[in-house]
Amino acid sequence: MSRRRRFFGATTHRAAHLLVAAATACGLMVAAPVLAAGPAAAQSQTPLSETGWVATSNTNSSSGDAPQNAVSGDTGARFSSDADQASGMWWQVDLGSAQSFDQIEMDSGGYAGDYAHGYEVLVSTDGTNFTTAYTGTGTSSPETATFSTQTARYIRVELTTAVSTNWWSMVNFTAYTSGSSGGGTTTGQLSETGWSASSNTNSSAGDTPQNAISGNTGARFSSDAYQAPGQWWEVNMGSVQTFDQVVLSAGGNAGDYANGYDVEVSNDGTKFTPVYFGTGTTATETANFSTQQAKYIRILLTASSAADWWSMTNFTVFNNSTSSTLPAAPSTGGSLGSNVYVFTPSESVASILSTVNTISNAQVGNQFGAQRYELLFEPGTYGSAASPLVFTVGYYESVAGLGQNPGQVVINGAINSYNQCTNGDQSECYATDNFWRSVSNLTINVTGMTGCFSGEDVWAVSQAAPMRRVDINGNLTLMDYCDGSPDWASGGFIADSDVSGSVTNGSQQQFFVRNTDMGSWGNGVWNQVFCGDPGAPAQSFSSTSGDTGGTEPYTTLASCPTTQEEPYLYSDSSGNYNVFVPSAASNSNGPSWTGGNTPGSSLPLSTFYVVNSASTVGQINAALAAGDNLLFTPGVYQYAQTIEVTNPNTKILGLGFATLIPTAGNITMQVADVPGVNVSGLTFDAGPTQSSALLQLGVEGSTANNASNPDSVDDVFFRVGGEEAGTVATAFVDNSDNSLIDDVWSWRADHGAGAGGWTGDQAASGLVVNGDSVEANGLAVEHYQQYETVWNGQGGKVLFYQNENPYEVPSQAAWMSSATQDGYPAFYVPNSVTTFNGYGMGSYSYFDQGVAIENAMAFQAPQTSGVQFNDILTVFLNGTGGIESVINGTGAAVSPSFGGPSDVVSYN
């Protein structure tokens, strides 16, 4: 979601103005070190070939002791620093291309004492952004550093300890891998015996798909015309195989390599998931990705070429993955972290305000900073009519009560989120970027709000800003209309709450509310969806809704098909922390807690391994393997290995929008095919090396029925770019049957770090659902470069969907889902699906490159009685081009001449 919004709907403005000071400085994240385990040499190590390596340094004693000497192979020459060892000196090697390695060795030769006394090993893919892979203390030469497998182009050794008696010298620097023979050449090639290949394109009987796996490099597979998006080649390996690399070779057919392609995998030959998103540049193209287990591999072309056919003389598959023994499980429980603030009723309002306002002042404008905060209120009453507790919530602030039910923590005052202003005169203030904040599990008796907002709590937010389990005695406004500027807001989520007064939707272009009692709801813009909400407006969506002057754009369901409230932290009467896990519910209506305690069960905090900045992924996985749950304290966590969730009923909670980043192309978190797993309160950022996924739930092709104990994902947010540049094939892959998705925003950034146009922050899809009977309540997927959401599973349900097409498409030729179909549908249901239901789903366009980009349709699905869409729409926001139809050619086009909304009430 961008700041640059076109707004069509009329809203109510009030005369008074509330001046809201909101800084907009954007901070850069500081990478947290990833500490490796131990300096002991690894077994069966193979040195990488050093041919073509280029070494540099910020220190050099003379031209005769150049940095290159350390990788020259001449042990009679050396690299030497220009003075005694000093902290900050570094030596670096460019390997020429990304290599995989897990050990380095530094040898100072006969120069006694010249070894690195204290150092870090850092790695990088671009030579600019470095991540710490190892921290060591040298005691002798040669010095060996062993760490988790890294995939990078640059290795830097940086001194951390000053020595006043010795220069720093190296006569030889060597990098090793335990899984390859060096230079990126793999050794774990899979046997192709019995494999069968097929394709939807073939130039002649002599150039059949099977030629690519025949072992005869004199034969080739070739497409039937020039490369075109939508052409694919596929191999059936006969059984499920484990692999993490494929190599496509065009042989001597210069230019016939795949110009743009996806590597997709499947277990049944029907549900395919992208695991790699590539751009070919040479006749031999290698794709490395996280370890996969699948029976089918498909290469799908995504870029067109008017000059060359697509040919492959050889297609090979490799498995280079290795396993390691987990360390002993760490102890559970412990501190909630330095950025968790726990308030008690005995504290004065002035003292609490001093703390919360200090945090808020720092965070209101800190959209892409690394700071994270959890503000917790112990059971009791805070503030009064005479001395109200009124404060503002900024980025990465989570505010929650520690009672078992909302009535146990009472705030007499207000908890607010206001517009942000980009100009000092407040001519541009809006809430379209008010992301990553939350309030939950408490009661607000609205008081202390004077002037324009008298009697109202202000929650002017957009995506990734949930309000859960909140009892508001008073009115609630979802827009900040008091400063006299544009009051745009774009999307939000309220669940399991109660608002005694009115809810003013105002300028919220779309919003999702479930299981919430409200006095009344005022107005709508394009797409407001309600399920199980007493007091919600009546169903009124029509082809003349919203801006075109007809009825309000309301999709209203009397009950929610399946829900399970998010687990939450609370303290019992003895002051002990616990996590309450609500039970799943069917056909629910209203809040879960108004008739007594929310149904469910409690887990003591002692069953949780509390993750902090010192935790390694090895410790985390050991805790999970031992049967512990996880609680991430506020912070940013970078890991070069996958977090493996293998036990059923594991609960994983994040406090303060804890953020996880993969550093080595690994899947960040992978959940096995087990029931009852919940992941909540986390943000998954893409890392610098492409991952196949950030979160993978379940195993594709599983037939386990988890209806009685579903896996669930709540308040989980995915980002590709924004805080740091990143790339991923598919952000979130859901393979788990009967799973629940509740408030998920998957966002390829349109602003912030790494948002450098079409080639920045590469990502094909935001969500792929392979599981059957999956239900999503409150889903937003935006700006991805191909099919943004792919729904392969049978029996799925989606209640509310928000999408914006990618902004920066450079040309129509660069964005074609087939040779004849313009663009990519935002929501794609393949022809293999026979049952699906969608309610209240919208997609918008803003192509901002000055090129008339067209998207043939926002939704694409089989036209069959079992696949039904209700209340779907498109909108032209701004820019050029537009969306030609809502679904499968049905529904009016939106463009500069008709902005929309273009509504389709029912389609099947």
Side-chain angles (χ1 to χ4, degrees):
M1 190 59 59
S2 168
R3 299 181 178 90
R4 303 178 294 276
R5 305 286 303 198
R6 177 174 175 180
F7 176 62
F8 296 93
T11 60
T12 302
H13 296 263
R14 303 183 187 180
H17 292 67
L18 178 66
L19 301 180
V20 183
T24 57
C26 294
L28 295 178
M29 187 193 71
V30 178
V34 180
L35 301 181
Q43 300 295 317
S44 304
Q45 294 288 67
T46 303
L48 273 60
S49 168
E50 298 181 356
T51 303
W53 288 11
V54 178
T56 55
S57 178
N58 67 346
T59 175
N60 183 209
S61 62
S62 68
S63 59
D65 289 346
Q68 193 70 23
N69 288 347
V71 290
S72 67
D74 180 2
T75 56
R78 69 169 180 172
F79 153 72
S80 181
S81 63
D82 56 8
D84 298 327
Q85 292 186 39
S87 179
M89 287 181 173
W90 56 258
W91 176 93
Q92 174 180 310
V93 63
D94 178 353
L95 310 179
S97 62
Q99 308 277 346
S100 294
F101 50 91
D102 53 14
Q103 186 185 84
I104 67 162
E105 184 181 74
M106 299 176 288
D107 186 358
S108 61
Y111 301 95
D114 285 11
Y115 56 84
H117 286 235
Y119 64 96
E120 290 185 342
V121 180
L122 302 101
V123 298
S124 173
T125 58
D126 59 10
T128 301
N129 300 297
F130 282 84
T131 301
T132 302
Y134 183 86
T135 299
T137 302
T139 56
S140 62
S141 177
E143 173 72 13
T144 300
T146 304
F147 37 82
S148 59
T149 301
Q150 307 290 314
T151 301
R153 177 174 173 175
Y154 299 85
I155 305 173
R156 176 180 289 183
V157 179
E158 182 170 335
L159 297 191
T160 59
T161 302
V163 175
S164 60
T165 57
N166 295 96
W167 280 256
W168 176 30
S169 299
M170 280 195 294
V171 298
N172 197 38
F173 173 90
T174 314
Y176 297 89
T177 177
S178 58
S180 74
S181 59
T185 303
T186 55
T187 58
Q189 182 175 342
L190 273 61
S191 169
E192 298 179 355
T193 303
W195 290 11
S196 60
S198 58
S199 178
N200 66 346
T201 174
N202 184 209
S203 63
S204 69
D207 288 349
T208 64
Q210 195 71 20
N211 286 347
I213 53 172
S214 67
N216 180 7
T217 57
R220 69 172 182 173
F221 153 72
S222 180
S223 63
D224 57 8
Y226 297 126
Q227 295 185 39
Q231 290 180 352
W232 53 260
W233 177 93
E234 176 185 310
V235 62
N236 177 352
M237 296 180 286
S239 62
V240 173
Q241 306 283 335
T242 301
F243 54 93
D244 56 11
Q245 183 187 78
V246 300
V247 178
L248 291 64
S249 176
N253 304 293
D256 286 8
Y257 56 82
N259 286 31
Y261 65 98
D262 288 351
V263 180
E264 303 183 336
V265 300
S266 174
N267 275 328
D268 60 7
T270 301
K271 302 173 183 177
F272 281 87
T273 301
V275 298
Y276 185 85
F277 180 49
T279 302
T281 56
T282 63
T284 299
E285 181 68 18
T286 300
N288 295 291
F289 38 82
S290 308
T291 302
Q292 304 293 314
Q293 291 183 316
K295 181 178 179 180
Y296 298 85
I297 305 174
R298 176 178 287 183
I299 307 299
L300 174 70
L301 293 194
T302 60
S304 60
S305 170
D308 294 285
W309 279 256
W310 175 31
S311 297
M312 280 197 296
T313 59
N314 199 35
F315 174 86
T316 45
V317 185
F318 299 87
N319 177 27
N320 306 302
S321 61
T322 58
S323 61
S324 58
T325 302
L326 292 172
S331 60
T332 55
S335 170
L336 295 180
S338 59
N339 279 12
V340 175
Y341 292 82
V342 180
F343 302 102
T344 66
S346 62
E347 293 183 63
S348 69
V349 168
S351 174
I352 295 172
L353 284 176
S354 175
T355 300
V356 297
N357 288 340
T358 298
I359 295 171
S360 175
N361 290 339
Q363 294 302 105
V364 161
N366 196 16
Q367 184 172 3
F368 295 122
Q371 296 73 27
R372 306 286 188 270
Y373 296 95
E374 182 84 15
L375 309 181
L376 298 173
F377 290 81
E378 288 280 6
T381 300
Y382 298 80
S384 63
S387 180
L389 179 59
V390 178
F391 62 95
T392 300
V393 181
Y395 287 106
Y396 312 111
E397 287 189 67
S398 181
V399 179
L402 283 172
Q404 186 171 346
N405 293 302
Q408 292 173 257
V409 174
V410 177
I411 306 292
N412 290 307
I415 301 174
N416 300 316
S417 177
Y418 296 108
N419 284 350
Q420 292 191 75
C421 303
T422 58
N423 294 329
D425 60 4
Q426 295 184 282
S427 62
E428 294 186 20
C429 301
Y430 28 70
T432 52
D433 282 0
N434 277 0
F435 314 138
W436 308 307
R437 62 200 69 196
S438 68
V439 59
S440 63
N441 200 35
L442 45 75
T443 293
I444 303 174
N445 294 327
V446 181
T447 187
M449 298 293 288
T450 59
C452 181
F453 289 122
S454 179
E456 291 185 305
D457 194 271
V458 183
W459 193 245
V461 297
S462 290
Q463 298 84 4
M467 175 181 284
R468 289 181 181 266
R469 296 176 61 81
V470 177
D471 187 2
I472 297 178
N473 294 309
N475 300 322
L476 174 67
T477 178
L478 303 177
M479 71 169 181
D480 175 358
Y481 50 79
C482 284
D483 58 19
S485 68
D487 50 21
W488 307 338
S490 183
F493 178 94
I494 298 176
D496 201 28
S497 295
D498 192 334
V499 182
S500 67
S502 64
V503 180
T504 299
N505 175 80
S507 60
Q508 286 286 355
Q509 296 158 348
Q510 58 280 314
F511 214 93
F512 178 71
V513 185
R514 69 158 182 81
N515 297 102
T516 294
D517 200 343
M518 64 192 82
S520 64
W521 179 278
N523 87 289
V525 180
W526 297 328
N527 184 31
Q528 276 69 36
V529 179
F530 308 88
C531 74
D533 299 316
Q539 169 76 29
S540 65
F541 197 96
S542 76
S543 59
T544 57
S545 67
D547 297 320
T548 54
T551 58
E552 299 286 3
Y554 298 148
T555 299
T556 304
L557 285 73
S559 62
C560 290
T562 307
T563 57
Q564 185 170 25
E565 300 303 332
E566 181 179 30
Y568 57 91
L569 189 70
Y570 78 100
S571 60
D572 59 25
S573 57
S574 300
N576 299 314
Y577 288 128
N578 303 271
V579 171
F580 192 82
V581 182
S583 302
S586 298
N587 301 315
S588 57
N589 179 278
S592 66
W593 44 269
T594 52
N597 290 337
T598 297
S601 58
S602 288
L603 299 172
L605 189 62
S606 60
T607 65
F608 284 76
Y609 173 54
V610 179
V611 182
N612 58 37
S613 60
S615 302
T616 67
V617 71
Q619 292 173 321
I620 292 169
N621 282 336
L624 289 168
D628 294 330
N629 303 294
L630 293 183
L631 188 146
F632 284 86
T633 60
V636 178
Y637 300 90
Q638 301 195 50
Y639 298 124
Q641 294 172 275
T642 299
I643 297 171
E644 300 281 0
V645 183
T646 57
N647 287 315
N649 303 311
T650 303
K651 309 305 175 187
I652 302 170
L653 279 68
L655 299 182
F657 294 86
T659 302
L660 309 183
I661 306 174
T663 61
N666 48 297
I667 296 175
T668 313
M669 181 179 293
Q670 186 163 316
V671 179
D673 185 25
V674 293
V677 174
N678 172 265
V679 182
S680 62
L682 292 175
T683 300
F684 289 84
D685 276 7
T689 301
Q690 189 180 118
S691 300
S692 62
L694 302 178
L695 172 63
Q696 185 165 305
L697 192 67
V699 177
E700 197 268 304
S702 168
T703 58
N705 186 326
N706 298 330
S708 62
N709 188 20
D711 293 330
S712 57
V713 176
D714 306 311
D715 295 345
V716 170
F717 311 118
F718 301 88
R719 299 189 301 195
V720 185
E723 189 161 310
E724 68 284 311
T727 176
V728 66
T730 304
F732 177 20
V733 178
D734 186 352
N735 296 315
S736 180
D737 290 354
N738 313 104
S739 57
L740 301 174
I741 298 172
D742 198 58
D743 188 32
V744 162
W745 181 37
S746 187
W747 182 57
R748 177 176 169 265
D750 57 85
H751 62 280
W758 192 241
T759 58
D761 300 325
Q762 297 277 292
S765 299
L767 170 65
V768 172
V769 174
N770 294 318
D772 293 337
S773 302
V774 174
E775 182 174 327
N777 296 319
L779 175 62
V781 181
E782 301 190 284
H783 307 308
Y784 287 86
Q785 294 175 288
Q786 296 177 20
Y787 296 111
E788 304 206 42
T789 300
V790 180
W791 203 283
N792 289 316
Q794 303 288 350
K797 293 185 181 71
V798 173
L799 279 64
F800 181 87
Y801 181 76
Q802 176 189 334
N803 167 264
E804 283 185 0
N805 292 169
Y807 290 170
E808 75 284 33
V809 181
S811 67
Q812 192 68 65
W815 201 53
M816 299 283 290
S817 54
S818 73
T820 58
Q821 182 170 321
D822 291 341
Y824 285 85
F827 196 96
Y828 175 62
V829 182
N831 288 332
S832 58
V833 175
T834 58
T835 53
F836 174 85
N837 278 279
Y839 299 86
M841 304 175 70
S843 177
Y844 316 145
S845 78
Y846 175 23
F847 301 116
D848 66 359
Q849 299 298 296
V851 181
I853 304 299
E854 296 290 336
N855 196 355
M857 60 195 73
F859 301 89
Q860 185 171 346
Q863 190 168 5
T864 181
S865 60
V867 176
Q868 300 184 353
F869 287 81
N870 306 275
D871 302 352
I872 59 176
L873 69 146
T874 56
V875 175
F876 172 86
L877 295 175
N878 211 330
T880 54
I883 305 174
E884 297 169 1
S885 69
V886 178
I887 182 169
N888 294 355
T890 298
V894 291
S895 66
S897 61
F898 173 62
S902 176
D903 296 335
V904 173
V905 177
S906 179
Y907 184 89
N908 65 348

